Amino acid sequence: MDYFPIFLKLQGASCLLVGGGEVALRKARLLLSAGAELTVAAPALTPELAEMARQGQLTHLCACFEPAQLSGRRLVVAATNEREVNRQVSVSCQALNIPVNVVDDPELSSYITPAIVDRSPLVIAVSTGGGVPVLARLIRGRLESLIPSGFGRLARFAADFRDRVKAGIPDVERRRAFWESVLEGPLAEAVINGDEAAAEQAMERRLEDAGAQTAQGAVYLVGAGPGNPDLLTFRALRLMQQADVVLHDNLVAPELLELVRRDAERIYVGKARANHALPQGDINLLMVELAQQGKRVLRLKGGDPFTFGRGGEEIETLAAHGVAFEVVPGITSASGAAAYAGIPLTHRDYAQSVTFVTGHKQDGSIQLDWPALTRPAQTVVVYMGVSTAQELCHAFIEHGKPATTPAAAVEWATTERQRTVAGTLRDLPELMSKHHIASPALIIVGEVVGLADKLGWYRTRVC
């Protein structure tokens, strides 16, 4: 992060605003709304600022900026139309370690003012690091339309019960689960709609019931999709924000892990070829153990849990131990890679079926149903086939597939790192080696690969 986000308490704090024009007026309104004791230093004021001074809402120093004006200030804003004056304010403040914002000049600012969605006491701040304030305002506008005004009432309601909930539910994990159930259910809707009396009665009942309940753990097998965070399902994102523990592997993109609740425990259980952080059996039992401790366990998997993700094996173990579980499907990597590479998996003119297979080697050979895979008018997508690409392509040809059949490898599909190499069964392994294609990557074989040149829209292919 270029800037550390923070909310600063300004009630009763002495703040200085340098400048008396229209820009200064906007900043004055903002500072006063936060409860600041505001002094404005400027030779002249706009009529509205002058009226605020007459009414005692702020103090006017009828003078140009002087460093002595900084004494005792908690925060300073420079809003003049003279950059040299603004620079002087910035240098003086930073010498005294006083936070200073120079309006529309991030270079001179030690902090920046974000776009704000105010549902006090709920406040949301949006920043682009001072680089594109218009974008921050656009995002704020979207949030304004999505977040009901009643969320402020909900925040106050929850704050009023905070101490009682903490006393009644000492366990941190149980308390978090309690609040999530309250804030996402009908009780919250009652508060938002203004029926706080009914909500208070419901909250009292919930607190009485919570004291007698024991923590119930569960496991959520969540498909993280092919890598692009925008391709997550709403359900997946919600569970990522609620989980107490996250078990993830090497196919989960780092950008996706940033969406997990920040205080959740993260356990890497990655599995790469011949390099397992934890054997599959140990992963299964670890999920059972964590759930039996009352924790909500998120098993985050690249792609879809039931498409070469061993999800079936995992939930068999959970079911055998009586652990509650839920499976959240994700966009499988084959769909993501094909779509982003411009390769339709089926096409009336080229492929009437599609087959997903795994390219793992077993006992020195690739044990696949080659007669079925080499039939015409179909697309074959090979998962985990990077290390065996040479053998795979040779086997396709050996079992009757023409060596000129189009074939492609798509690496880090749907992400900014996506690369696609396309050729034929004869030359694809050489191309993959030349361009250092590595896992995670998929191999796609079939006539539809020939459409990538025309239909590719996301990334220019490597070759």
Side-chain angles (χ1 to χ4, degrees):
M1 293 183 293
D2 293 329
Y3 289 86
F4 180 72
I6 190 170
F7 288 87
L8 186 63
K9 187 174 183 178
L10 290 182
Q11 286 90 346
S14 177
C15 297
L16 177 68
L17 173 60
V18 181
E22 291 297 328
V23 175
L25 173 61
R26 294 198 299 272
K27 298 301 179 182
R29 290 170 180 157
L30 192 61
L31 291 167
L32 291 172
S33 70
E37 289 187 0
L38 183 61
T39 298
V40 178
L45 301 178
T46 66
E48 188 169 343
L49 280 172
E51 181 61 27
M52 289 179 177
R54 281 192 293 271
Q55 294 181 4
Q57 298 177 39
L58 56 84
T59 300
H60 178 211
L61 289 180
C62 188
C64 295
F65 171 74
E66 295 290 343
Q69 297 166 358
L70 300 177
S71 177
R73 307 299 183 188
R74 177 78 61 80
L75 193 80
V76 174
V77 176
T80 78
N81 57 7
E82 297 181 22
R83 195 170 196 270
E84 180 54 34
V85 174
N86 291 339
R87 190 196 63 78
Q88 184 184 2
V89 174
S90 174
V91 171
S92 300
C93 286
Q94 295 192 55
L96 296 170
N97 287 322
I98 299 173
V100 58
N101 172 254
V102 177
V103 178
D104 292 333
D105 198 336
E107 183 182 342
L108 294 180
S109 301
S110 64
Y111 80 93
I112 55 178
T113 304
I116 296 171
V117 178
D118 188 1
R119 301 289 188 270
S120 293
L122 173 66
V123 177
I124 301 170
V126 182
S127 170
T128 59
V132 195
V134 172
L135 178 58
R137 289 197 293 271
L138 288 173
I139 295 172
R140 180 192 66 187
R142 293 188 182 185
L143 292 173
E144 290 276 10
S145 66
L146 291 172
I147 301 172
S149 59
F151 265 51
R153 285 195 298 271
L154 181 60
R156 288 190 294 271
F157 177 90
D160 290 342
F161 277 92
R162 180 181 179 184
D163 290 341
R164 288 186 56 191
V165 171
K166 187 174 183 180
I169 311 175
D171 181 76
V172 174
E173 302 301 337
R174 285 183 57 206
R175 188 162 65 245
R176 181 182 293 114
F178 173 85
W179 275 121
E180 286 171 352
S181 67
V182 166
L183 296 175
E184 293 183 347
L187 192 155
E189 290 297 326
V191 177
I192 291 172
N193 294 328
D195 193 357
E196 295 189 44
E200 287 179 7
Q201 294 177 5
M203 190 68 167
E204 296 286 355
R205 292 193 295 270
R206 292 289 299 272
L207 277 171
E208 291 175 7
D209 294 340
Q213 293 174 352
T214 57
Q216 299 293 321
V219 176
Y220 304 98
L221 273 70
V222 173
N228 188 332
D230 288 345
L231 299 179
L232 281 171
T233 65
F234 287 125
R235 180 66 176 162
L237 184 58
R238 179 182 173 190
L239 292 173
M240 289 167 70
Q241 290 291 311
Q242 294 179 0
D244 303 312
V245 185
V246 179
L247 277 60
H248 63 95
D249 56 41
N250 63 313
L251 294 180
V252 175
E255 297 86 351
L256 291 167
L257 287 176
E258 289 299 315
L259 301 176
V260 170
R261 204 181 78 212
R262 292 198 179 279
D263 58 342
E265 181 182 1
R266 302 182 187 190
I267 302 176
Y268 175 68
V269 294
K271 296 190 293 298
R273 184 171 180 259
N275 182 21
H276 290 198
L278 278 181
Q280 185 61 50
D282 291 351
I283 295 173
N284 299 348
L285 293 177
L286 177 59
M287 290 190 293
V288 171
E289 179 184 345
L290 293 169
Q292 289 176 341
Q293 294 172 9
K295 296 181 178 180
R296 291 166 296 177
V297 182
L298 182 79
R299 178 68 173 103
L300 194 60
K301 293 173 169 290
D304 178 82
F306 280 4
T307 306
F308 303 117
R310 297 190 178 181
E313 301 172 38
E314 294 178 351
I315 64 173
E316 280 185 319
T317 303
L318 297 174
H321 287 80
V323 173
F325 63 84
E326 177 182 337
V327 180
V328 180
I331 295 176
T332 187
S333 300
S335 296
Y340 273 60
I343 302 172
L345 292 176
T346 61
H347 190 290
R348 286 191 300 174
D349 296 333
Y350 303 104
Q352 284 75 55
S353 65
V354 58
T355 301
F356 299 163
V357 296
T358 177
H360 269 168
K361 231 176 183 180
Q362 295 181 3
D363 301 326
S365 63
I366 301 172
Q367 311 224 340
L368 299 174
D369 185 357
W370 290 109
L373 296 180
T374 53
R375 287 196 298 261
Q378 74 167 333
T379 304
V380 178
V381 181
V382 184
Y383 285 70
M384 297 169 282
V386 172
S387 63
T388 57
Q390 183 73 50
E391 296 94 327
L392 279 165
C393 291
H394 177 74
F396 270 107
I397 297 170
E398 187 178 59
H399 287 85
K401 202 75 173 171
T404 55
T405 301
V410 186
E411 177 189 63
W412 283 108
T414 77
T415 72
E416 292 183 353
R417 291 173 283 179
Q418 176 176 313
R419 294 193 299 159
T420 303
V421 294
T424 66
L425 285 173
R426 180 187 294 116
D427 61 16
L428 182 64
E430 181 182 349
L431 291 171
M432 292 174 63
S433 176
K434 174 182 177 181
H435 295 285
H436 308 290
I437 298 297
S439 181
L442 295 178
I443 294 173
I444 305 175
V445 178
E447 297 298 327
V448 291
V449 173
L451 298 172
D453 275 338
K454 182 167 60 175
L455 304 181
W457 60 272
Y458 182 65
R459 286 276 185 255
T460 302
R461 76 183 195 183
V462 176
C463 67

